[in-house]
Amino acid sequence: MGSEVLQLFPNGGWDVHHHIFEPVRFSYAPDRHLTPPPATIKNYLDFKQKLGLTNSVLTHGLSYGADCSSLTTFTSDLGPDTTRAIGVIDPSTVTPSQLQAMQRAGVRGIRVNLYRYGAMHDVEAQKTALREHARALGSHCAGWSMAFTHTHPEFWSELTPVIESDIVPTGIKLVTDHFALLKGASMLSGAEDGAANHEDMSKQPGFAEIVDLVRAGHLYIKISAPYRVSKQAPDYADLKPLVRAFFDANPRQVLWGSDWPHTPLMKVRTHEEAMKETPFLEVDDLAWLKSLRSWLSAREWHMLMVTNPQSLYDSE
């Protein structure tokens, strides 16, 4: 392990969003939205060691549908003492006993599969998905999180009242991945050269609502997969204003995840496209982490990489 890595994680570090794909051991769902290549337990453990990460949260790949048998097996293989998991459920059929079994296997939350609802571009269907998943968790999963990610930040103005009335009172901890897909300057319309300033970025639809939810403690946000929201690889310098906005709003509500093995951008695919194996993206994770570290104080970095994920995912 290099000195750069030791300097990054002197107190350990959590990766709260990664996947495992082993289609030889567990077949993908026939109605999947994406066919990834293999990304094995060994591959991830090598990645984890290379970066100096100590803990991780395995996120169920939507390519496996709502069958979490692969997830619980992978969690055990990765090491139950250092690994937690986020599952996918069918809220219409899941039972309390199934949720309790998931809890015993290390699952500490779910992700909402909007593809199942045909809801990627439909805000009303997204409201339905949120309500149905929250109802399914009910009082059976104290402390669990619910991850909810979509491609339309402008929907947050309509989703906020639903979150405040139907999600917050349940005690479910709502999480959104990948910067809530708010854009860095290099991806804003008319700013291909990355020349947009902080004020331009804060005027994005959904920005104010997302930051308000973070400030109120109603939403955790993962600063993960920067390549989904910025063209400025490998250091993604144009994302600093977004990172600072989240931390300045509420440093207890920010998490980091690698999104390893770096699946392609979210979109609705035809069945033919979904069945064709799609390669992973090439990402310099160390360069991105070093850039991110330079924008934060030592206290903020420790919260991001250790105390925040421990608080959210490391309950018994």
Side-chain angles (χ1 to χ4, degrees):
M1 192 181 302
S3 60
E4 290 179 315
V5 168
L6 290 172
Q7 290 172 8
L8 278 174
F9 300 114
N11 302 306
W14 283 67
D15 174 1
V16 304
H17 190 109
H18 74 93
H19 309 288
I20 299 292
F21 299 111
E22 294 194 6
V24 173
R25 295 174 68 190
F26 295 94
S27 298
Y28 294 142
D31 59 348
R32 61 190 177 276
H33 77 292
L34 176 72
T35 301
T40 68
I41 296 288
K42 183 182 184 307
N43 295 152
Y44 181 72
L45 291 176
D46 288 345
F47 169 84
K48 184 179 173 185
Q49 182 179 29
K50 179 182 177 181
L51 289 185
L53 299 163
T54 53
N55 297 75
S56 72
V57 181
L58 173 62
T59 300
H60 186 65
L62 298 181
S63 300
Y64 283 116
D67 180 354
C68 285
S69 56
S70 63
L71 179 77
T72 54
T73 300
F74 295 153
T75 301
S76 177
D77 291 348
L78 285 164
D81 292 338
T82 57
T83 308
R84 293 291 182 255
I86 301 298
V88 173
I89 62 171
D90 180 340
S92 66
T93 62
V94 72
T95 66
S97 62
Q98 289 173 326
L99 293 170
Q100 290 160 10
M102 291 169 69
Q103 169 90 13
R104 290 191 297 271
V107 176
R108 294 296 182 268
I110 60 169
R111 64 187 307 203
V112 178
N113 183 0
L114 293 180
Y115 294 103
R116 175 182 177 273
Y117 287 79
M120 287 302 294
H121 307 302
D122 184 337
V123 69
E124 292 303 320
Q126 291 186 14
K127 294 176 185 177
T128 298
L130 278 172
R131 292 185 176 116
E132 290 187 358
H133 280 76
R135 192 178 303 120
L137 292 187
S139 60
H140 310 297
C141 305
W144 276 30
S145 66
M146 182 165 70
F148 176 70
T149 303
H150 55 90
T151 59
H152 292 277
E154 69 273 15
F155 286 178
W156 285 92
S157 60
E158 291 191 56
L159 292 170
T160 293
V162 175
I163 292 166
E164 292 175 338
S165 64
D166 296 349
I167 308 300
V168 172
T170 69
I172 295 167
K173 299 171 182 178
L174 191 64
V175 181
T176 193
D177 306 324
H178 314 329
F179 292 81
L181 294 183
L182 291 169
K183 302 296 188 292
S186 60
M187 278 195 175
L188 288 177
S189 177
E192 288 77 8
D193 61 352
N197 59 33
H198 189 178
E199 183 178 358
D200 295 328
M201 297 175 70
S202 66
K203 290 180 179 178
Q204 293 179 74
F207 178 93
E209 290 82 4
I210 291 165
V211 171
D212 284 347
L213 287 167
V214 171
R215 182 178 295 111
H218 295 163
L219 179 69
Y220 285 86
I221 192 156
K222 292 179 189 172
I223 46 177
S224 53
Y227 40 85
R228 298 177 185 270
V229 295
S230 170
K231 296 179 181 179
Q232 293 189 349
D235 58 357
Y236 305 104
D238 61 327
L239 296 182
K240 181 178 179 180
L242 289 178
V243 171
R244 286 304 333 161
F246 302 145
F247 270 91
D248 292 343
N250 192 338
R252 293 178 177 83
Q253 299 293 122
V254 193
L255 306 160
W256 177 83
S258 66
D259 196 37
W260 185 95
H262 311 307
T263 54
L265 306 189
M266 294 176 69
K267 71 172 186 176
V268 177
R269 296 174 174 84
T270 66
H271 180 73
E272 183 179 25
E273 289 173 329
M275 295 302 106
K276 182 179 179 181
E277 186 173 281
T278 303
F280 301 125
L281 305 175
E282 293 290 332
V283 178
D284 186 338
D285 295 278
L286 182 57
W288 158 230
L289 281 167
K290 289 167 61 180
S291 183
L292 177 60
R293 174 65 186 90
S294 72
W295 306 337
L296 304 175
S297 69
R299 177 176 177 271
E300 289 170 334
W301 182 252
H302 187 70
M303 294 176 75
L304 176 68
M305 290 297 178
V306 181
T307 57
N308 291 350
Q310 280 181 341
S311 174
L312 184 59
Y313 296 115
D314 209 21
S315 63
E316 291 301 325

